[in-house]
């Protein structure tokens, strides 16, 4: 061990290595669970949204996600052989779609770092829901490689894109990504995505009190009327490495008040069930929604739990199924894939796992100790994807 190692902050435990046993048939009335698109969990929540992490690596070191002190050159990322390959991802995705998934979001780490990602996009774009509809296929990126890749992503079948951007001020942005990456290059990526037709584009801004809160209004003004939807996200206590404190969270309520004081807003209806963002439209002089000015979304993961409608499952880079962003452990689907399991076995396993789901971390945290987080062991967001 080097002297440097002795001073490093080590995450409490590497949760990637532990998996939950796959539920046995006893959790369901019968062993085989045939997909019929109607799967629900123990709280009657459907399975509609699958987030697939395609890499645990990233070219940024956002302090709220992959702090440099932990994710340094000695960090043990997953070796390539551990990652699901594109055929494995597509085979699993097909079973999820048969169970009712209508939307797939590729994420990471930074998904655009995964080699030949366009090939995976083309494979997923070919999937159809039980009713014969194409999926809502999207991707979340930090935008660093977007200028180069937007056209190819669109050509492969990607429909739309979400770009993370925490501020417009170059110094603030460089400090937040912590690799001195210039904001102009992400803005160029967004322009390329627009030109390629990857809209409607969403812009994700994580708001950290004292760090980029002064960027809220410049960001809102910049994206108002652009056709893009700015979504302001409360800084969450995901993972175990970002040193989360409630004091660093700027509640969405306050974010809305600040924008409203400058550009009046009216609340809009959710566009679909399970929608994580609360929608606010820019108001016209009569106090009605000015559709040309557009809307913003606020995601209050900390101050307002939305577990009751949560229809999202997450597939990690190495094929573990997580039922909640804050889960401690996942279910090892890769073991089934690389064993002799048939598609019907895979579908049954997914069915049983979702059917037994009771996760509602945010709701329990809000009820118990809203200011503290739970201190529970959790996997990193860069591993299971945002
Ligand atoms: N690298 C890509 C990106 O940044 O867009 C995709 C993966 S990233 C984990 C997905 C989303 O999670 C990003 O929008 C990011 O801002 C958000 N995120 C990461 N850590 C977060 C935290 N602690 N609280 C809230 N959002 C977070
Ligand atoms: Fe990378 Fe995205 Fe995490 Fe930032 S939020 S470190 S860009 S994975
Ligand atoms: Fe869904 Fe878990 Fe978030 Fe609740 S805390 S909304 S169950 S991911």
């Amino acid at each position: 061990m080097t002297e440097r190692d002795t001073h490093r902050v080590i995450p409490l435990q590497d949760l990637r290595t532990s998996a939950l046993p796959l539920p046995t048939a006893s959790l369901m009335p019968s062993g085989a669970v045939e997909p019929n698109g109607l799967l629900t969990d123990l709280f009657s929540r459907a399975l509609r949204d699958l987030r697939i992490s395609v890499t645990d690596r990233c070219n940024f070191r956002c302090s709220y996600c992959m702090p440099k002190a932990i994710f340094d050159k000695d960090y043990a990322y997953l070796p390539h052989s551990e990652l699901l390959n594109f055929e494995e991802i597509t085979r699993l995705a097909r079973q999820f779609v048969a169970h009712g998934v209508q939307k797939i979001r590729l994420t990471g780490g930074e998904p655009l770092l995964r080699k030949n990602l366009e090939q995976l996009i083309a494979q997923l774009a070919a999937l159809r829901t039980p009713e014969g509809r194409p999926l809502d296929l999207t991707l979340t990126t930090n935008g660093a490689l977007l200028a180069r890749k937007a056209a190819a992503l669109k050509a492969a079948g990607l429909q739309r894109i979400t770009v993370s951007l925490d501020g417009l001020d170059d110094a603030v942005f460089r400090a937040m990504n912590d690799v001195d990456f210039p904001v102009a290059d992400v803005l160029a990526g967004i322009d390329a995505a627009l030109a390629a037709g990857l809209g409607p584009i969403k812009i994700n801004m994580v708001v950290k009190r004292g760090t980029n809160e002064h960027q809220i209004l410049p960001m809102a003004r910049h994206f108002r009327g652009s056709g893009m939807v700015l979504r302001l996200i409360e800084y969450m206590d995901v993972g175990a490495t970002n040193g989360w404190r409630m004091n660093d969270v700027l509640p969405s309520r306050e974010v809305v008040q600040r924008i409203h004081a400058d550009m009046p807003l009216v609340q809009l209806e959710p566009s679909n069930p399970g929608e994580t963002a609360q929608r606010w439209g820019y108001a016209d002089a009569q106090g009605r929604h000015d559709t040309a000015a557009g809307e913003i979304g606020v995601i209050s993961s900390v101050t307002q739990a939305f577990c009751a409608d949560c229809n999202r499952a997450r597939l990690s880079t190495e094929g573990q199924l997580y039922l909640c962003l804050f889960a401690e452990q996942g279910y090892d689907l890769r073991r089934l894939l690389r064993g002799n399991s048939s598609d019907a076995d895979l579908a049954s396993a997914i069915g049983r796992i979702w059917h037994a789901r009771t996760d509602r971390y945010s709701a329990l945290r809000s009820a118990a100790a809203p200011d503290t987080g739970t201190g529970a062991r959790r996997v990193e967001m860069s591993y299971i994807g945002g």
Side-chain angles (χ1 to χ4, degrees):
M1 187 182 275
T2 63
E3 190 192 332
R4 190 163 169 273
D5 284 330
T6 61
H7 294 294
R8 264 179 65 204
V9 187
I10 306 283
L12 291 179
Q13 192 183 348
D14 188 346
L15 294 170
R16 295 173 303 179
T17 49
S18 59
L20 291 166
L22 296 164
T24 60
S26 63
L27 287 167
M28 289 294 288
S30 66
V33 183
E34 293 205 9
N36 58 6
L38 301 171
L39 184 65
T40 53
D41 70 7
L42 284 182
F43 295 120
S44 303
R45 297 173 294 188
L47 172 59
R48 293 281 177 263
D49 183 331
L50 178 65
R51 301 187 176 199
I52 303 175
S53 172
V54 292
T55 177
D56 59 344
R57 292 164 193 258
C58 189
N59 43 1
F60 283 11
R61 286 292 175 276
C62 308
S63 60
Y64 51 73
C65 179
M66 294 180 78
K68 247 184 193 165
I70 311 260
F71 295 88
D72 61 6
K73 68 177 177 34
D74 299 324
Y75 185 80
Y77 294 99
L78 297 167
H80 197 260
S81 60
E82 300 277 314
L83 312 190
L84 292 189
N85 63 38
F86 293 166
E87 280 62 41
E88 290 172 325
I89 293 176
T90 307
R91 190 170 164 221
L92 279 179
R94 189 175 294 114
Q95 310 313 319
F96 278 96
V97 170
H99 273 304
V101 161
Q102 296 170 348
K103 172 174 162 187
I104 290 186
R105 177 177 295 280
L106 299 179
T107 176
E110 173 45 43
L112 299 190
L113 289 180
R114 180 84 187 245
K115 255 198 185 147
N116 303 321
L117 186 72
E118 298 79 8
Q119 211 174 302
L120 174 65
I121 290 172
Q123 287 172 216
L124 296 174
L127 297 179
R128 293 289 175 271
T129 67
E131 300 79 32
R133 284 196 299 270
L135 300 176
D136 179 6
L137 187 58
T138 178
L139 175 151
T140 304
T141 174
N142 62 26
L145 300 172
L146 196 51
R148 248 181 282 165
K149 299 204 168 202
L153 295 170
K154 178 69 184 179
L158 192 70
Q159 287 163 351
R160 54 193 186 87
I161 206 158
T162 298
V163 183
S164 301
L165 179 64
D166 294 332
L168 287 173
D169 180 278
D170 194 48
V172 172
F173 184 68
R174 285 178 191 253
M176 285 190 83
N177 63 55
D178 213 10
V179 293
D180 210 27
F181 195 87
V183 73
D185 289 15
V186 176
L187 293 173
I190 293 171
D191 286 344
L194 274 175
L198 284 168
I201 294 179
K202 290 180 184 163
I203 306 291
N204 275 1
M205 173 182 182
V206 176
V207 180
K208 231 180 141 179
R209 195 194 283 277
T211 303
N212 65 340
E213 58 181 303
H214 57 296
Q215 290 296 296
I216 295 172
L217 281 181
M219 286 281 282
R221 289 186 195 121
H222 183 84
F223 289 104
R224 184 177 191 269
S226 69
M228 294 180 259
V229 179
L230 173 65
R231 304 184 332 150
L232 303 111
I233 305 175
E234 286 178 352
Y235 168 43
M236 283 187 280
D237 52 330
V238 282
T241 57
N242 64 13
W244 183 90
R245 297 175 317 154
M246 187 65 193
N247 280 348
D248 296 331
V249 178
L250 187 71
S252 294
R253 184 180 8 92
E254 224 175 300
V255 170
V256 170
Q257 278 164 5
R258 288 189 193 185
I259 298 176
H260 179 70
D262 191 72
M263 295 170 280
L265 295 168
V266 283
Q267 190 158 9
L268 306 177
E269 290 294 318
S271 48
N272 50 49
E275 168 93 54
T276 49
Q278 200 185 69
R279 300 170 60 212
W280 292 83
Y282 290 107
D284 63 16
Q286 285 73 43
R288 287 187 302 252
H289 181 205
D290 174 0
T291 48
E295 62 182 81
I296 60 160
V298 289
I299 304 186
S300 324
S301 341
V302 177
T303 60
Q304 237 182 317
F306 37 78
C307 302
D309 296 322
C310 180
N311 55 18
R312 288 178 298 284
R314 292 178 161 83
L315 187 62
S316 80
T317 320
E318 52 174 352
Q320 300 226 0
L321 172 59
Y322 285 85
L323 303 181
C324 174
L325 186 52
F326 299 92
E328 289 177 30
Q329 284 174 299
Y331 296 88
D332 189 0
L333 295 183
R334 192 186 61 188
R335 192 163 60 80
L336 292 182
L337 272 173
R338 296 191 180 171
N340 281 329
S341 304
S342 65
D343 283 354
D345 295 336
L346 291 175
S348 285
I350 294 166
R352 278 191 228 113
I353 292 167
W354 188 267
H355 190 70
R357 175 182 187 246
T358 56
D359 298 68
R360 47 192 189 113
Y361 170 86
S362 285
L364 295 176
R365 187 233 349 246
S366 305
D371 291 355
T372 57
T374 63
R377 303 176 313 147
R378 290 184 298 263
V379 286
E380 299 301 321
M381 191 138 167
S382 52
Y383 167 66
I384 56 168

